[in-house]
């Protein structure tokens, strides 16, 4: 189902559009592949970008399109394809001024291969292909045009985009600029919106339903949207079973179903035995890799020591898995919206799983690749670690307002880390080398900068 968004703040804003605009002006522009999980808004963003930045848009959906399947089965040179695509879209295609959108490109694998030839002999055409990461990953016999395309990934809407969808552009600016004074003044209001975000999440259809009805929100309808999205993902697991190794769809479902309970554990390290009794890594490693490739889960690897470069200290056998979206986690867990919205119960529910889930997806959407560290005897842990130039930045996520735990400071002293960040439900403040910020500020890059 394709969606058109008209929300409280006007047209929906997605920050990735800035990178798309840079791609358009790049003198060495290659065809672009915009991927991501289903229902995160790839089609809408592509069309809206074309509307705002090009004179015309030639949109072609490859979903269940027999005519296009036949077209790409033959000669895929741009000279042959461009006139046919113009006929299909009903729009003249002009170099530089027309955006060609090939939607659901995974449905016609040779359309992906054709991007190579647009790069090599027809770079004057702006070609943007959108696709489900799952579908693209499931065509091992297709020649992916490595080095001939630019790749961008779209995630669910982050908290700042959620604020913009609600028409709260000034509050979004407060968060973006990490304005501590304004955060302190409007903390209760921002925390209230954060609670709504933890219920709704960032899937655009759910955000649209919320923003178009707020404050008289029908949460049952939003639950129905989220369950429909989850059902669609399950359908995808089995849809490609002919291309998948035997037994993989079942294992995808088993890993997927285990994630809420994995995150509810005190030690959130992924435990194979929680998927299936006596399970071993080799039984589920392919399923986990596929879920990562499809953007349906976010992996946070453990490092043996919080030292730079973090990637060289990665413990390949230990990791955490989060879902792509906190609203979907709430829906999967069956947690009622009232538990989230009334008081601060949610932040302590399931041992802080929702606070950590939110933090993880905000870090990833902001462009970071987080790691974590835990002592082998489980006596200390750093929830997230970021590589900041030559520095390692430790992050602690607190589920409530109790900041007395000493794990962060003790670990910083042990590993000689000169600064750290702690996120909680409290307003901003400084505690020596540790800077305290509210959870909703984790999507601001300025929070992570020295100064």
């Amino acid at each position: 189902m394709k969606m058109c968004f008209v929300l409280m703040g006007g047209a929906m804003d997605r920050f990735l559009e800035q990178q798309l605009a840079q791609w358009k002006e790049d003198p060495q522009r290659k065809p672009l592949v915009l991927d991501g999980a289903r229902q995160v808004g790839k089609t809408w963003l592509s069309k809206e970008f074309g509307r705002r930045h090009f004179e015309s848009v030639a949109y072609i959906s490859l979903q269940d399109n027999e005519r296009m399947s036949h077209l790409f089965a033959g000669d895929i040179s741009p000279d042959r394809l461009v006139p046919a695509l113009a006929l299909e879209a009903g729009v003249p295609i002009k170099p530089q001024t027309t955006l060609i959108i090939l939607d659901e490109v995974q449905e016609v694998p040779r359309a992906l291969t054709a991007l190579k030839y647009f790069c090599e002999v027809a770079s004057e055409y702006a070609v943007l292909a959108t696709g489900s990461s799952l579908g693209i990953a499931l065509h091992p016999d297709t020649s992916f045009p490595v080095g001939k395309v630019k790749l961008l990934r779209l995630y669910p809407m982050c908290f700042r985009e959620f604020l913009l969808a609600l028409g709260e552009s000034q509050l979004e600016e407060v968060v973006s600029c990490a304005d501590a004074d304004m955060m302190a003044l409007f903390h209760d209001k921002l925390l209230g919106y954060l609670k709504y975000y933890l219920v709704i999440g960032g899937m655009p259809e759910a955000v649209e339903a919320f923003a178009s009805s707020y404050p008289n929100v029908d949460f049952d309808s939003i639950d129905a949207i989220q369950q429909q999205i989850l059902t669609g993902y399950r359908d995808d697991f089995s849809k490609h079973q002919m291309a998948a190794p035997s037994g993989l769809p079942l294992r995808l479902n088993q890993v997927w179903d285990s994630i809420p309970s994995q995150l509810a554990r005190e030690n959130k390290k992924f435990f194979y035995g929680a998927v299936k009794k006596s399970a071993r890594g080799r039984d589920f490693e392919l399923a986990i890799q596929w879920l990562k490739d499809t953007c349906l889960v976010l992996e946070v690897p453990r490092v043996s020591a919080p030292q730079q470069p973090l990637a060289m200290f990665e413990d390949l056998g230990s990791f955490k898995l989060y879902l792509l979206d906190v609203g979907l986690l709430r829906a999967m867990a069956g947690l009622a919206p009232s538990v989230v919205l009334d008081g601060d119960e949610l932040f302590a529910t399931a041992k802080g799983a929702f606070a950590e889930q939110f933090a993880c997806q905000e870090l990833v959407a902001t462009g970071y690749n987080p790691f974590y560290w835990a002592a082998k005897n489980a006596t200390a842990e750093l929830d997230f670690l970021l590589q900041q130039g030559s520095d390692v930045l430790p992050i602690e996520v607190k589920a409530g307002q109790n900041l007395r735990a000493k794990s962060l400071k003790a670990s910083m002293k042990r590993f000689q880390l000169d600064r750290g960040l702690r996120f909680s439900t409290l307003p901003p403040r400084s505690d020596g080398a540790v800077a305290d910020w509210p959870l909703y500020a984790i999507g601001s890059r300025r929070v992570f900068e020295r100064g």
Side-chain angles (χ1 to χ4, degrees):
M1 179 174 59
K2 306 303 180 188
M3 297 164 284
C4 178
F5 301 104
V6 181
L7 306 181
M8 293 171 62
M12 181 182 290
D13 287 311
R14 301 300 307 268
F15 296 142
L16 195 67
E17 185 178 339
Q18 299 169 12
Q19 294 184 54
L20 293 176
Q22 292 171 2
W23 165 76
K24 175 182 181 290
E25 301 302 328
D26 186 350
Q28 306 298 321
R29 183 182 64 205
K30 301 175 182 179
L32 187 145
V33 174
L34 178 63
D35 79 348
R38 288 194 184 277
Q39 299 295 313
V40 295
K42 299 184 297 294
T43 299
W44 179 88
L45 175 59
S46 300
K47 288 183 173 181
E48 186 66 11
F49 165 66
R51 185 186 68 81
R52 294 180 182 182
H53 295 270
F54 287 82
E55 292 181 10
S56 60
V57 176
Y59 172 80
I60 299 99
S61 173
L62 303 183
Q63 180 90 43
D64 299 323
N65 192 327
E66 186 176 346
R67 186 163 48 241
M68 289 296 97
S69 295
H70 182 74
L71 172 68
F72 283 97
D75 176 12
I76 53 175
S77 66
D79 285 346
R80 175 175 177 267
L81 292 178
V82 169
L85 295 175
L87 284 171
E88 179 71 12
V91 174
I93 294 178
K94 300 177 182 178
Q96 308 299 346
T97 62
T98 299
L99 176 64
I100 303 171
I101 299 176
L102 301 178
D103 199 15
E104 303 289 0
V105 70
Q106 78 282 349
E107 297 297 325
V108 182
R110 273 177 60 81
L112 197 61
T113 305
L115 300 181
K116 170 185 176 182
Y117 302 103
F118 276 98
C119 175
E120 292 178 342
V121 300
S123 60
E124 68 272 19
Y125 291 101
V127 185
L128 192 165
T130 76
S132 157
S133 301
L134 176 63
I136 292 173
L138 287 177
H139 291 290
D141 296 328
T142 299
S143 176
F144 188 85
V146 177
K148 303 297 182 179
V149 297
K150 179 179 178 64
L151 293 169
L152 286 178
R153 178 156 289 173
L154 185 65
Y155 294 99
M157 297 174 69
C158 67
F159 179 65
R160 288 169 50 211
E161 290 172 327
F162 179 76
L163 289 175
L164 291 177
L166 293 173
E168 294 285 5
S169 59
Q170 291 179 304
L171 282 179
E172 187 278 328
E173 182 69 14
V174 167
V175 175
S176 175
C177 294
D179 189 329
D181 291 338
M182 288 297 103
M183 283 184 187
L185 283 174
F186 293 95
H187 178 70
D188 289 344
K189 188 171 185 178
L190 281 163
L191 197 61
Y193 279 132
L194 175 61
K195 291 179 180 180
Y196 278 123
Y197 183 83
L198 296 179
V199 173
I200 309 304
M203 302 305 286
E205 189 179 1
V207 174
E208 179 195 28
F210 175 77
S212 61
S213 61
Y214 180 81
N216 301 310
V217 183
D218 179 1
F219 287 106
D220 288 340
S221 67
I222 290 172
D223 279 338
I225 290 169
Q226 291 167 327
Q227 291 299 335
Q228 184 180 31
I229 292 171
L230 291 169
T231 299
Y233 291 157
R234 288 187 181 279
D235 290 344
D236 273 346
F237 295 160
S238 58
K239 176 181 176 183
H240 300 280
Q241 60 185 339
M242 295 300 293
S246 176
L248 184 60
L250 172 62
R251 289 172 180 169
L252 287 169
N253 277 288
Q254 289 174 319
V255 173
W256 179 252
D257 289 340
S258 79
I259 292 177
S261 62
Q262 300 269 7
L263 293 177
R265 297 167 59 239
E266 185 74 43
N267 177 3
K268 294 175 176 58
K269 171 189 169 184
F270 189 85
F271 179 51
Y272 292 103
V275 181
K276 184 181 178 182
K277 189 175 180 180
S278 302
R280 292 171 293 182
R282 67 184 184 187
D283 297 326
F284 291 98
E285 61 185 9
L286 182 58
I288 291 171
Q289 185 62 51
W290 277 31
L291 287 170
K292 287 162 49 183
D293 290 343
T294 65
C295 308
L296 293 181
V297 300
L298 306 173
E299 182 190 49
V300 178
R302 178 185 177 273
V303 292
S304 57
Q307 299 176 21
Q308 66 93 16
L310 288 170
M312 294 189 69
F313 290 89
E314 182 177 343
D315 174 3
L316 298 177
S318 301
F319 54 90
K320 301 177 185 178
L321 280 188
Y322 297 88
L323 289 185
L324 76 160
D325 178 67
V326 68
L328 295 184
L329 175 63
R330 182 200 64 82
M332 284 183 71
L335 190 69
S338 59
V339 176
V340 183
L341 300 174
D342 298 339
D344 291 329
E345 286 187 53
L346 175 71
F347 297 106
T349 297
K351 300 181 175 61
F354 292 92
E356 277 199 36
Q357 166 69 49
F358 171 75
C360 179
Q361 68 185 71
E362 287 285 290
L363 289 171
V364 171
T366 308
Y368 291 110
N369 296 309
F371 295 80
Y372 83 101
W373 171 80
K376 289 190 175 181
N377 59 7
T379 57
E381 180 175 347
L382 295 172
D383 296 327
F384 298 102
L385 293 163
L386 303 182
Q387 183 84 41
Q388 290 284 89
S390 60
D391 296 333
V392 171
L393 181 62
I395 296 172
E396 185 175 51
V397 177
K398 302 297 291 184
Q401 299 186 356
N402 178 12
L403 305 184
R404 289 178 294 178
K406 299 179 180 179
S407 177
L408 176 60
K409 286 190 173 181
S411 298
M412 288 172 60
K413 182 177 181 180
R414 174 181 175 182
F415 294 105
Q416 298 182 326
L417 303 174
D418 63 357
R419 68 185 185 112
L421 296 178
R422 184 165 50 201
F423 294 92
S424 71
T425 57
L426 292 175
R429 69 170 192 168
S430 180
D431 183 12
V434 176
D436 283 297
W437 289 93
L439 275 167
Y440 53 74
I442 203 166
S444 169
R445 275 191 167 269
R446 294 195 180 185
V447 167
F448 302 94
E449 297 173 355
R450 281 189 177 272

